[in-house]
Amino acid sequence: MTESEKEHYKKLLFATAEVFKPSNGTEEEFQKYLGSPMLTPLGTVRMGANQYSKFMAKNRGNLFIAAKETLENPSFVFRAENGTRVYVKSFVSADGKKKNVISATIERGDIGISITTHEERLNQILSKIRKTGILYEKAPGL
């Protein structure tokens, strides 16, 4: 990936960033935001069977709203080396810090299954894109 391409994706993430809205981590809130299939730019995605437990075990209960927003309105999506689709979106927290949230999905027929959602550093994301390329890119302002 060229320096110009890296800058493009950095700018895209920040131009399409949204305010981070932390969730409270309850099962009811998980069901509210992630309990139904979601329409993404690349098709329908639903949470894997054990995702609530995984969110909670890894102290990610505050990411339910961000996970939904990342899947439904990503800044970009790329295919990882292992074949998963990785949805990426940036958020700005109340204290002004930027959070990059990724949600990786596997394809099962005509539906994607989300197998993980977490924060990831920008350089890690850019490194993975370099190896595989972009599947979807949001136009800033949309």
Side-chain angles (χ1 to χ4, degrees), residues 83-113:
T84 61
R85 287 182 178 175
V86 181
Y87 292 72
V88 182
K89 185 161 188 69
S90 190
F91 296 88
V92 180
S93 62
D95 62 3
K97 293 184 180 177
K98 293 182 177 71
K99 298 175 178 279
N100 300 306
V101 175
I102 67 123
S103 189
T105 67
I106 55 173
E107 304 309 305
R108 294 291 182 252
D110 60 348
I111 194 164
I113 309 296

Side-chain angles (χ1 to χ4, degrees), residues 22-51:
S23 47
N24 59 27
T26 65
E27 191 165 0
E28 293 78 22
E29 196 170 45
F30 178 86
Q31 288 303 320
K32 176 181 177 181
Y33 291 104
L34 301 170
S36 300
M38 294 158 274
L39 186 58
T40 78
L42 298 177
T44 303
V45 170
R46 68 174 175 79
M47 286 287 124
N50 298 314
Q51 285 304 293

Side-chain angles (χ1 to χ4, degrees), residues 9-79:
Y9 290 111
K10 286 180 188 179
K11 287 179 183 176
L12 178 62
L13 267 177
F14 300 124
T16 58
E18 293 185 26
V19 173
F20 180 74
K21 300 171 204 138
S23 47
N24 59 27
T26 65
E27 191 165 0
E28 293 78 22
E29 196 170 45
F30 178 86
Q31 288 303 320
K32 176 181 177 181
Y33 291 104
L34 301 170
S36 300
M38 294 158 274
L39 186 58
T40 78
L42 298 177
T44 303
V45 170
R46 68 174 175 79
M47 286 287 124
N50 298 314
Q51 285 304 293
Y52 176 74
S53 299
K54 190 173 180 179
F55 271 96
M56 300 315 291
K58 298 191 178 221
N59 295 317
R60 298 177 186 159
N62 67 329
L63 294 179
F64 298 159
I65 299 169
K68 181 175 181 66
E69 292 176 356
T70 298
L71 287 164
E72 291 183 338
N73 192 20
S75 297
F76 53 86
V77 182
F78 65 93
R79 185 167 307 280

